[in-house]
């Protein structure tokens, strides 16, 4: 029953953004177009993740949402990917090793982390590589996310910590407070 609303949400997102995601990356010619498409994909992906996790928390509590996220976060994140566009979340303190930064990500992570430490605003960035353009946008911890990524025993009840640790034995993604740099979105436009 709870999968039906999620299917409707996917259908809506697909309809709205299919044209942006399906166009070959080579037709994107300006930084502004990369930013616009990247922002659209990130917004739709974040909204989908947030809605799905909120529904899961309401149905099964925070522990159930941890299990739901473990099984569904990657498929939800990949919903708007195409042959020419990939999307992922990257973090230095990751929960899932698949979200660890690569060498290009690490450079941008340091830029965001330094800006945050200096009290500067965090601005999205485009990084051009060989036949690929990456669009990075910071992820700041939202208050509702503290129930899984906050301080153990304060924000995260011990039964939830146990659930996290059993599903993610090498978890590094606890101890954050609202507003912390939690990660970054990475939308990659593959040039052909």
């Amino acid at each position: 029953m709870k999968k039906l609303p999620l299917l409707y949400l996917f259908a809506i997102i697909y309809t709205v953004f299919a044209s942006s995601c399906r166009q070959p990356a080579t037709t994107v010619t300006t930084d502004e177009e990369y930013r616009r498409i990247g922002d659209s994909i990130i917004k739709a992906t974040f909204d989908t993740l947030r809605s799905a996790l909120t529904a899961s928390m309401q149905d099964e509590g925070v522990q159930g949402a941890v299990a739901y996220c473990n099984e569904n976060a990657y498929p939800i994140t990949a919903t708007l990917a195409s042959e020419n566009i990939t999307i992922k979340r990257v973090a230095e303190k990751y929960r899932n090793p698949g979200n660890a930064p690569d060498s290009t990500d690490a450079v941008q992570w340091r830029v965001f982390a330094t800006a945050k430490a200096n009290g500067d605003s965090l601005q999205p960035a485009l990084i051009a590589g060989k036949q690929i353009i990456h669009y990075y946008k910071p992820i700041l911890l939202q208050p509702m996310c503290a129930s899984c990524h906050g301080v153990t025993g304060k924000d995260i009840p011990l039964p939830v910590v146990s659930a996290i640790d059993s599903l993610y034995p090498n978890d590094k993604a606890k101890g954050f407070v609202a507003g912390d740099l939690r990660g970054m979105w990475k939308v990659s436009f593959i040039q052909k």
Side-chain angles (χ1 to χ4, degrees):
M1 175 105 174
K2 63 185 165 184
K3 291 191 182 217
L4 192 55
L6 191 55
L7 290 175
Y8 285 127
L9 189 56
F10 286 139
I12 291 167
I13 291 169
Y14 179 80
T15 303
V16 172
F17 295 103
S19 63
S20 292
C21 294
R22 299 264 183 245
Q23 64 180 319
T26 55
T27 64
V28 179
T29 59
T30 67
D31 287 357
E32 185 56 38
E33 288 177 288
Y34 286 115
R35 290 178 199 279
R36 180 185 55 76
I37 293 168
D39 283 338
S40 294
I41 292 169
I42 290 167
K43 181 181 181 337
T45 304
F46 175 73
D47 289 348
T48 304
L49 278 169
R50 182 183 56 212
S51 295
L53 286 173
T54 300
S56 182
M57 287 174 84
Q58 290 171 349
D59 290 347
E60 301 173 37
V62 177
Q63 285 176 265
V66 169
Y68 178 87
C69 190
N70 178 263
E71 293 177 17
N72 296 290
Y74 274 109
I76 290 172
T77 302
T79 301
L80 297 178
S82 71
E83 180 181 319
N84 299 317
I85 299 174
T86 62
I87 182 167
K88 75 182 282 191
R89 293 167 299 144
V90 178
E92 186 176 68
K93 293 181 180 178
Y94 51 83
R95 177 153 287 161
N96 188 317
N99 294 341
D102 64 23
S103 59
T104 303
D105 302 337
V107 171
Q108 186 56 45
W109 181 265
R110 284 191 297 276
V111 170
F112 285 149
T114 300
K116 182 74 173 154
N118 291 335
D120 298 333
S121 64
L122 306 182
Q123 299 300 316
L126 284 171
I127 308 293
K130 188 174 183 175
Q131 295 190 317
I132 195 164
I133 294 179
H134 303 292
Y135 179 62
Y136 291 100
K137 191 167 189 172
I139 300 171
L140 301 178
L141 190 79
Q142 301 298 307
M144 82 171 260
C145 301
S147 59
C148 290
H149 295 287
V151 177
T152 298
K154 177 184 173 207
D155 303 309
I156 312 172
L158 295 180
V160 175
V161 171
S162 294
I164 292 168
D165 291 345
S166 71
L167 292 169
Y168 303 96
N170 298 310
D171 176 51
K172 299 178 181 184
K174 293 190 273 304
F176 292 92
V177 297
D180 280 352
L181 178 62
R182 167 66 191 96
M184 56 189 183
W185 291 102
K186 176 184 181 182
V187 179
S188 298
F189 300 90
I190 300 150
Q191 307 294 297
K192 296 204 176 201

